[in-house]
Amino acid sequence: MVNPPSTFPGPDTLCESCGYALKGLSPDGGCPECGLAIAESSPAMRTGHPWQTRPGPQAMFNLVISLMLKPRYFFRTMRIDGTNHTARLFLLLVAAGLGALWFAVAQGVYGYPPASALLQEVILTSGIVSLTYVEA
């Protein structure tokens, strides 16, 4: 029985290191641009981080620590599969957390009245979310 032809690398597969289009190249070879093994650019290498597989408080804490200490590893293992519900939830939680932090700082450190600090919190939170969607 003949195995079906592999779809990796596909027409939209890019090198993980340099972004070179890998269409039509052998998965056993290396990227002609940077030399990274083409197998390293396989979507199968992106297993997903804990927040993507089982969201929760501990996974969010680990995600933030991973982003700070090992950003290359974090982004290399991040699963890109079109289901971005957990990514949206993470964005909203981080934006709300930063907004709440700014609210506390604006009132406690800078002495802004509550209404002014709340307005700044809403602007900061909506700005983070809006700019993230524009960038994405």
Side-chain angles (χ1 to χ4, degrees), residues 30-101:
C31 173
E33 192 75 21
C34 69
L36 180 72
I38 291 177
E40 291 292 316
S41 297
S42 172
M45 298 291 290
R46 294 182 167 274
T47 56
H49 44 73
W51 177 260
Q52 290 180 305
T53 55
R54 55 188 183 287
Q58 182 65 38
M60 184 170 182
F61 176 77
N62 292 341
L63 174 71
V64 171
I65 297 301
S66 178
L67 272 170
M68 290 189 304
L69 300 178
K70 303 181 286 184
R72 181 181 296 263
Y73 173 77
F74 169 80
F75 285 109
R76 179 61 188 102
T77 60
M78 183 173 62
R79 193 175 61 230
I80 304 171
D81 58 3
T83 59
N84 58 7
H85 299 301
T86 57
R88 287 180 181 173
L89 178 60
F90 178 73
L91 170 64
L92 292 175
L93 290 173
V94 168
L98 288 173
L101 178 65

Side-chain angles (χ1 to χ4, degrees), residues 94-103 117-132:
V94 168
L98 288 173
L101 178 65
W102 176 251
F103 179 79
L118 182 62
L119 178 63
Q120 291 176 17
E121 175 187 1
V122 169
I123 291 171
L124 175 70
T125 304
S126 60
I128 290 171
V129 172
S130 299
L131 292 175
T132 302

